[in-house]
Amino acid sequence: MSTDLFSCRNCIHNPAQGLTLGPGAGFCLTWGSILDQPEQTTCKYLHRKDLPMFLARDGIREHEDEFSQVAYMADLETHAPLVPRAYDSDDVPDAERLDNVTRAVAAYHALDSAPDTTVQRRSLTLATFAGAADGRRAMMYASLVRRVLASGAPARMWTRRVLDLLDEIDTDVLFRAADLLEAGGAAAARWEVAHARLSCIQEFGWHAAREELMYPMMELGAHVAEEDWNGFLLALGRLKGSFRDVVIALDAEQRLLGWPRP
């Protein structure tokens, strides 16, 4: 198995990059730190982008154990500890090191970690990243929603953000050549974004105890195996309505019981 799968490039806490997307430095929301070499960096809190947590549990536990004695981030191969380094927007080298999308992640971190941040403000800030045709921003949005779900916030409190993701889940995404790690890598990047989006829905299903959302590959797996992108989007479009029905039903339950909403 590629070690890249356990690097910061494949972690939801570094939402603006991926295995195929986002050259250069990244930004980790867990540590509030610039990632100078995201493909060579990891930590025990890694949360894979490409699979929902409940399907990657064994590998993640092994990774946690492997890095359990490292207090912060570490080199993926040597395990040498790396001290987190905050982003300073007024520092010219920092500003030049991060591209626009990654700087948006750093700005999100500043808002999300502010002392006066509320659930409502966090939800509204998150909503500003929904609906993007840009592939990196689409991956960023799916990763940010997954972070909220993993944080322990009740799944029922974030149904609106999940519905926003469902609205766009069967739409194609575009990439700038400068955002791809390899020339001509748009096809692989499309699939990476698709897996990140689907994993978000699957994890929401796990948190909300809705098995109907947890295993979409029963219907989509053949298209994925054959790399049939158009067939995959069509099949996903047919599934989307039933996914929405499940999420909306959960939302109705929370309204009936008077649960708080973000």
Side-chain angles (χ1 to χ4, degrees):
M1 181 179 293
S2 172
T3 57
D4 286 355
L5 292 174
F6 292 89
S7 77
C8 294
R9 282 199 168 276
N10 194 37
C11 179
I12 65 170
H13 305 303
N14 176 29
Q17 294 186 305
L19 299 174
T20 60
L21 285 169
F27 189 87
C28 174
L29 291 168
T30 292
W31 298 109
S33 176
I34 293 174
L35 301 168
D36 287 310
Q37 293 183 296
E39 63 281 343
Q40 276 296 119
T41 309
T42 192
C43 81
K44 58 189 172 187
Y45 301 113
L46 178 108
H47 186 135
R48 285 173 60 170
K49 282 192 179 86
D50 62 320
L51 287 172
M53 181 63 83
F54 64 89
L55 292 182
R57 189 175 290 119
D58 290 345
I60 290 295
R61 283 176 177 166
E62 290 179 9
H63 184 80
E64 288 175 352
D65 289 343
E66 184 178 350
F67 288 88
S68 61
Q69 300 304 308
V70 183
Y72 301 111
M73 302 179 298
D75 183 277
L76 183 60
E77 294 181 359
T78 67
H79 294 203
L82 302 172
V83 177
R85 185 161 58 84
Y87 169 68
D88 182 355
S89 59
D90 294 326
D91 184 272
V92 173
D94 275 358
E96 291 179 348
R97 185 176 290 111
L98 303 186
D99 60 27
N100 288 336
V101 182
T102 309
R103 285 201 295 271
V105 176
Y108 173 84
H109 177 265
L111 291 170
D112 190 55
S113 59
D116 60 346
T117 296
T118 63
V119 173
Q120 288 78 9
R121 182 178 297 180
R122 183 176 290 116
S123 181
L124 291 173
T125 302
L126 188 54
T128 64
F129 296 105
D134 176 81
R136 283 185 70 190
R137 289 185 178 272
M139 176 174 284
M140 179 178 172
Y141 182 66
S143 297
L144 290 176
V145 176
R146 292 172 71 181
R147 288 189 82 249
V148 172
L149 295 174
S151 72
R156 61 182 178 267
M157 295 183 67
W158 295 92
T159 52
R160 181 64 260 170
R161 303 290 74 84
V162 173
L163 287 170
D164 288 343
L165 188 140
L166 278 173
D167 285 342
E168 62 190 62
I169 197 170
D170 60 335
T171 60
D172 209 341
V173 287
L174 306 173
F175 305 96
R176 298 185 311 134
D179 284 335
L180 299 169
L181 291 185
E182 295 183 6
R190 278 175 169 172
W191 285 110
E192 186 171 16
V193 172
H195 286 299
R197 285 170 160 177
L198 274 177
S199 294
C200 182
I201 300 304
Q202 291 174 271
E203 287 180 351
F204 178 82
W206 186 86
H207 284 287
R210 293 297 192 274
E211 189 171 345
E212 309 95 309
L213 302 177
M214 292 171 61
Y215 303 105
M217 286 303 172
M218 295 176 66
E219 288 80 12
L220 302 172
H223 298 291
V224 174
E226 296 169 8
E227 297 187 353
D228 174 15
W229 179 252
N230 291 331
F232 170 80
L233 289 184
L234 288 172
L236 188 54
R238 291 191 294 269
L239 282 177
K240 183 169 76 170
S242 62
F243 289 170
R244 284 185 60 85
D245 289 345
V246 174
V247 177
I248 289 171
L250 179 65
D251 190 57
E253 288 178 18
Q254 78 170 36
R255 290 174 182 269
L256 182 64
L257 296 177
W259 287 333
R261 292 176 60 80

